[in-house]
């Protein structure tokens, strides 16, 4: 089956700095790459996604970049704020279903 | 417009007991999913449905059964609960076909099996 790895598992950044989380996948047929955010005790929510025919997508402070050749995609958060503290999951689509990474805990230091 | 609603939100079972988790969505979505989430892990797919009357196995289906008799409801059953089934269960639905598009999640159901 598909193997999905996220790095780092925990990321601590100063408020206002940028954060980057990387997701590596193994299935070369994957063609849909979403990122979900889960705040403590809450449900996961989609924050940004990208299709395989696009290399980058931005939505205000959040961006996703895709490198299909290397089979990885990354979440970029600029000007981090306290409300960005959460666990972030990548979930590339493999064999018609999403395959979830183990998550990255993002800590924003005041 | 409630979105995805799960009941119950909390439940404690003894080993061997049975129970059913109910998921209801009011968005007319075709696809529905049951996931479990354990500490330090991502979501793992238990079963899913691509439409009324259909179900399919996901990554970790053993010990669970599902039914989708109505388009808006997706039930997850545990026939004989085991401590290994202690977890947070999330139901989700989506409009997109074949795993594409946003998943809308319920609030989760925390199940403890003693």
């Amino acid at each position: 089956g598909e193997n999905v790895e996220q790095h780092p598992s925990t990321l601590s950044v100063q408020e206002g700095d940028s954060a980057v989380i990387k997701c590596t996948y193994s299935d070369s047929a994957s063609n849909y790459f979403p990122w979900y955010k889960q705040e403590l005790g809450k449900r996961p929510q989609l924050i940004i996604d990208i299709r395989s025919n696009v290399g980058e997508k931005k939505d205000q402070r959040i961006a996703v970049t895709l490198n299909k050749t290397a089979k990885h995609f990354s979440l970029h958060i600029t000007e981090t704020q306290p409300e960005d503290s959460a666990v972030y999951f990548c979930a590339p689509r493999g064999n018609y279903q999403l395959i979830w990474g183990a998550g990255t805990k993002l800590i924003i230091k005041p | 417009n409630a979105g995805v609603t799960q009941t119950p939100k909390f439940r404690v079972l003894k080993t061997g007991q049975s129970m059913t988790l109910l998921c209801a969505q009011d968005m007319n979505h075709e696809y529905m999913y049951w996931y479990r989430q354990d500490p330090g892990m991502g979501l793992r797919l238990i079963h899913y449905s691509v439409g009324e009357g259909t179900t399919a196995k996901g990554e970790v289906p053993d010990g669970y059964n599902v039914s989708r008799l109505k388009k808006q409801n997706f039930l997850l059953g545990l026939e004989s609960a085991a401590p290994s089934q202690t977890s947070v269960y999330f139901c989700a639905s989506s409009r997109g076909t074949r795993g594409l598009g946003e998943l809308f999640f319920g609030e989760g159901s925390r199940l403890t099996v003693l």
Side-chain angles (χ1 to χ4, degrees), chain A residues 79-91:
Chain A
E79 300 173 13
T80 53
Q81 300 171 4
E83 54 265 35
D84 295 328
S85 293
V87 178
Y88 292 82
F89 293 97
C90 65

Side-chain angles (χ1 to χ4, degrees), chain A residues 31-32 36 38 41-46 49 51 89 93 96-103, chain B residues 4 31 33 35 37 40-43 45 48 90 97-103 105-107:
Chain A
N31 60 0
Y32 175 64
Y36 281 78
Q38 186 178 29
K42 300 290 182 65
R43 73 192 85 187
Q45 291 187 299
L46 178 71
D49 58 7
R51 306 278 171 119
F89 293 97
R93 173 177 175 261
Y96 304 134
Q97 298 299 334
L98 301 182
I99 307 299
W100 294 74
Chain B
V4 179
Y31 282 61
Y33 312 82
Y35 288 94
Q37 185 175 37
M41 299 181 71
L43 281 76
L45 183 64
Y48 65 99
F90 284 99
T97 58
R98 297 184 175 183
L100 295 173
E102 181 175 3
L103 293 185
F105 285 88
E107 292 181 301

Side-chain angles (χ1 to χ4, degrees), chain A residues 8 10 16 22 33-34 36 45 47-48 61 74 103:
Chain A
T10 303
K22 185 175 179 179
F33 308 92
Y36 281 78
Q45 291 187 299
I47 54 171
I48 196 166
R61 297 187 298 108
S74 298

Side-chain angles (χ1 to χ4, degrees), chain A residues 6 11 21 24 28 35 45 49 53 57 67 73 76 84 98:
Chain A
Q6 279 184 239
L11 178 60
I21 304 170
T24 304
S28 57
W35 284 96
Q45 291 187 299
D49 58 7
N53 58 345
K57 182 178 178 180
N67 185 328
F73 62 112
H76 305 255
D84 295 328
L98 301 182

Side-chain angles (χ1 to χ4, degrees), chain B residues 72-88:
Chain B
Q72 63 268 34
N73 295 338
F74 195 29
L75 278 65
L76 177 70
L78 285 73
E79 291 184 346
S80 180
S84 60
Q85 295 177 303
T86 293
S87 188
V88 178

Side-chain angles (χ1 to χ4, degrees), chain A residues 2-108:
Chain A
E2 169 143 40
N3 187 39
V4 175
E5 293 186 358
Q6 279 184 239
H7 294 283
S9 56
T10 303
L11 178 60
S12 183
V13 301
Q14 206 70 39
E15 182 179 346
D17 287 351
S18 296
V20 181
I21 304 170
K22 185 175 179 179
C23 182
T24 304
Y25 61 95
S26 60
D27 187 354
S28 57
S30 293
N31 60 0
Y32 175 64
F33 308 92
W35 284 96
Y36 281 78
K37 175 184 180 182
Q38 186 178 29
E39 296 177 6
L40 187 62
K42 300 290 182 65
R43 73 192 85 187
Q45 291 187 299
L46 178 71
I47 54 171
I48 196 166
D49 58 7
I50 195 169
R51 306 278 171 119
S52 59
N53 58 345
V54 178
E56 181 176 358
K57 182 178 178 180
K58 280 186 178 181
D59 183 3
Q60 298 182 340
R61 297 187 298 108
I62 294 172
V64 54
T65 57
L66 172 64
N67 185 328
K68 282 217 77 179
T69 303
K71 290 190 280 188
H72 66 73
F73 62 112
S74 298
L75 175 69
H76 305 255
I77 305 174
T78 59
E79 300 173 13
T80 53
Q81 300 171 4
E83 54 265 35
D84 295 328
S85 293
V87 178
Y88 292 82
F89 293 97
C90 65
R93 173 177 175 261
N95 196 26
Y96 304 134
Q97 298 299 334
L98 301 182
I99 307 299
W100 294 74
T104 296
K105 183 176 183 179
L106 177 62
I107 301 166
I108 308 299

